[in-house]
Amino acid sequence: MKICIIGSGYVGLVSGACFADVGHNVICVDNNAKKVEQLVQGKVPIYEPGLEELIHRNVAAHRLHFTTSTEEGVDKSDVVFIAVPTPPQPDGSVDLSYIEKVAREISVVLKPGQYRVIVDKSTVPVKTGEKVADTIRRYNKTGADFDVVSNPEFLREGCAVADLMKPDRIVIGSNSERAIALMQKIYEPFMSPVLVTDINSAELIKHAANSFLALKISYINAVARICEASGADVEKVADGIGSDRRIGRNFLNAGIGYGGSCFPKDIAAFIAISEDLGVPFTLLKEVEKINRTQRERFIAKIRESLWVLKDKKIAVWGLTFKPDTDDVRSSVAIDVVRDLLAEGAQVSVYDPKGMEKAVEFKLVDGARLAKSPLDAAEGAEALIVATEWKEFTTVDLSDLMKVMHTPLIFDGRNIMDPNTVRAAGFKYTSIGRS
Ligand code: UGA
């Protein structure tokens, strides 16, 4: 199949590389000429395990191309995916201006006699597909033949390639048999379950899925508070409830809250969408509140132990919103660093992949940038674990004890075993475990 993907961000780039790898001919379009130039030269702008190799292999096989021209992409393809950002607005609702702009750009390059399927892969509010179709119809003066499909993406950062290659399900939302048949052909090589729905249901599935996962995290974080108050262990409680197959153990890891470029934005969007439709989803407001206060409670615990945070030397391990990514957008770890800096603490930070982007976006100005976990902990009066990188679990505890000034650990991701750490002489505080 000949495929065009408009928007070479996370979703667009990974989708393009995976579609090419299963044998399709893919053109990725991006309006950022510098990014396109870099991609042509084989430089990949994001860190994602396996992605660089995939891109190199498929560029070399002439199945993956990059351009700044929407016209070229649409002209040479049967199916055109839209994968541009849908950022939040200050009130939580979704800014759809990039989608609208792309719809107009596509409309003016569609030619008579050329059938095209326009697929929305970006996360969008329900009913956006209808608006995309209206917009294309309004701006296209040639009566072009096209259908609009919703095909939400469920990949996770850090394992995006694996998620895309072997998805739990592929959702195809459309009312057109012809469009559905083409979409099924694209996804045939992935050999995964396909769910065909109407376009509105497909759009809703994405927001409902992310909100449910966020709800699961906030649920276990609320349970963690009860564990702390009662002397129970949240890990054991999560194992106990998670082994019921109806509940499942995934996404029941208590911590300092969820972050990233998806959950905070999508939950706020779903709240705004529900209010817009006159059916306010108030449960999600509580999910947001638990998430926000989870970090505040964590900082309060540190303050309580150290008494005064001003001028205290504090090491923070982790800046990314989760491990195996360099993404620091809406990261709770960054918020923790900023909270400590705001209280006058002397913070040193270390992250295996996130340092560069944190510095580039000026997110940790005022903090010392360390070269390793032990370097960060040098002279520290407390150590905070803010992201669950595997590297942090391999640090030798006796080495850590030697470099720290006072041996206090606040583990915001429960990556250490309380008995082991305490036996090594540390005062250890984690989430939902006494
Ligand atoms: C999330 C969804 O998992 C994907 O299915 C979806 O496609 C994506 O959003 C999106 O909408 O684009 P992602 O944001 O990459 O993926 O990361 P997750 O693995 O879901 O983690 C999100 C946050 O939840 C992280 O901050 C993580 O630390 C936190 N988390 C996750 C917990 O605190 N506890 C858990 O048990 C699991």
Side-chain angles (χ1 to χ4, degrees):
M1 295 282 296
K2 295 194 180 102
I3 297 172
C4 165
I5 302 191
I6 302 180
S8 297
Y10 230 99
V11 168
L13 200 54
V14 179
S15 307
C18 291
F19 285 150
D21 207 51
V22 298
H24 300 307
N25 206 306
V26 181
I27 304 185
C28 291
V29 181
D30 202 284
N31 60 5
N32 181 339
K34 203 171 143 211
K35 192 193 238 182
V36 169
E37 186 54 37
Q38 282 181 336
L39 284 163
V40 168
Q41 288 166 6
K43 289 187 202 130
V44 181
I46 49 172
Y47 170 74
E48 187 62 41
L51 181 62
E52 197 165 279
E53 192 216 324
L54 206 64
I55 290 179
H56 288 172
R57 182 163 71 231
N58 287 285
V59 167
H62 305 291
R63 282 194 301 263
L64 182 60
H65 315 266
F66 300 98
T67 178
T68 52
S69 163
T70 303
E71 180 158 21
E72 183 192 347
V74 174
D75 224 32
K76 290 184 177 163
S77 312
D78 307 304
V79 178
V80 179
F81 286 80
I82 304 175
V84 294
T86 49
Q89 311 203 80
D91 67 351
S93 64
V94 184
D95 174 0
L96 290 167
S97 58
Y98 297 97
I99 299 269
E100 194 262 356
K101 186 165 170 273
V102 170
R104 277 187 286 119
E105 282 168 8
I106 294 173
S107 72
V108 295
V109 297
L110 285 178
K111 306 213 163 65
Q114 276 183 347
Y115 174 70
R116 292 288 178 268
V117 178
I118 315 299
V119 187
D120 178 38
K121 215 175 210 339
S122 305
T123 301
V124 292
V126 60
K127 291 162 121 44
T128 298
E130 291 174 3
K131 295 204 176 77
V132 167
D134 279 353
T135 304
I136 296 178
R137 238 174 263 123
R138 197 159 3 111
Y139 285 91
N140 177 274
K141 302 211 166 73
T142 62
D145 191 11
F146 72 94
D147 281 307
V148 172
V149 169
S150 165
N151 172 225
E153 182 46 60
F154 301 100
L155 64 80
R156 289 161 301 170
E157 291 188 20
C159 44
V161 172
D163 279 353
L164 220 138
M165 285 298 196
K166 200 90 204 77
D168 284 351
R169 78 304 206 183
I170 291 152
V171 175
I172 299 173
S174 174
N175 306 325
S176 151
E177 293 298 325
R178 191 176 176 191
I180 292 167
L182 282 174
M183 292 297 289
Q184 280 171 327
K185 211 166 150 199
I186 289 182
Y187 280 110
E188 210 170 60
F190 295 88
M191 292 186 293
S192 297
V194 172
L195 178 69
V196 176
T197 70
D198 59 280
I199 194 157
N200 288 348
S201 302
E203 290 169 337
L204 209 65
I205 285 170
K206 173 70 190 191
H207 273 122
N210 272 4
S211 299
F212 190 80
L213 291 168
L215 170 84
K216 248 184 132 175
I217 299 169
S218 279
Y219 183 88
I220 199 66
N221 282 336
V223 171
R225 296 176 189 183
I226 299 170
C227 289
E228 284 169 17
S230 61
D233 180 333
V234 74
E235 300 293 322
K236 302 224 166 71
V237 176
D239 288 345
I241 58 177
S243 50
D244 183 328
R245 267 177 294 163
R246 292 170 303 174
I247 297 174
R249 179 64 176 83
N250 290 336
F251 278 70
L252 284 181
N253 294 323
I256 46 177
Y258 61 76
S261 62
C262 302
F263 283 178
K265 156 178 101 81
D266 289 353
I267 282 66
F270 208 26
I271 291 171
I273 292 163
S274 66
E275 279 169 1
D276 230 36
L277 291 167
V279 280
F281 201 160
T282 47
L283 173 65
L284 294 182
K285 290 200 167 170
E286 195 58 29
V287 169
E288 277 188 330
K289 187 175 167 201
I290 293 169
N291 198 54
R292 189 176 59 248
T293 50
Q294 197 64 4
R295 181 184 98 241
E296 291 167 5
R297 286 170 57 96
F298 185 65
I299 299 284
K301 280 188 210 167
I302 301 167
R303 204 183 288 120
E304 203 178 290
S305 287
L306 295 182
W307 189 15
V308 172
L309 289 181
K310 190 167 183 296
D311 293 330
K312 287 277 154 50
K313 283 183 134 186
I314 302 180
V316 177
W317 285 356
L319 292 176
T320 53
F321 82 101
K322 66 176 203 176
D324 298 320
T325 175
D326 63 351
D327 197 342
V328 288
R329 289 175 293 171
S330 304
S331 168
V332 182
I334 297 275
D335 290 339
V336 167
V337 172
R338 295 171 77 97
D339 285 347
L340 296 171
L341 288 169
E343 294 209 27
Q346 295 178 33
V347 185
S348 37
V349 295
Y350 173 75
D351 187 282
K353 292 271 182 244
M355 304 289 273
E356 212 172 293
K357 290 209 166 139
V359 172
E360 185 187 334
F361 302 133
K362 300 192 184 315
L363 298 175
V364 290
D365 282 2
R368 178 173 79 84
L369 306 174
K371 291 183 178 58
S372 68
L374 282 178
D375 180 28
E378 186 76 48
E381 290 154 277
L383 164 66
I384 294 172
V385 180
T387 312
E388 62 274 37
W389 283 95
K390 206 160 171 229
E391 181 179 340
F392 302 152
T393 60
T394 62
V395 174
D396 187 277
L397 291 177
S398 55
D399 290 344
L400 186 61
M401 179 60 89
K402 273 183 222 137
V403 298
M404 286 185 72
H405 186 53
T406 48
L408 264 65
I409 297 179
F410 296 89
D411 182 354
R413 296 291 175 188
N414 287 359
I415 63 167
M416 296 178 183
D417 172 51
N419 293 335
T420 313
V421 189
R422 286 186 187 126
F426 291 90
K427 181 169 180 277
Y428 178 75
T429 308
S430 57
I431 309 287
R433 305 185 295 182
S434 39

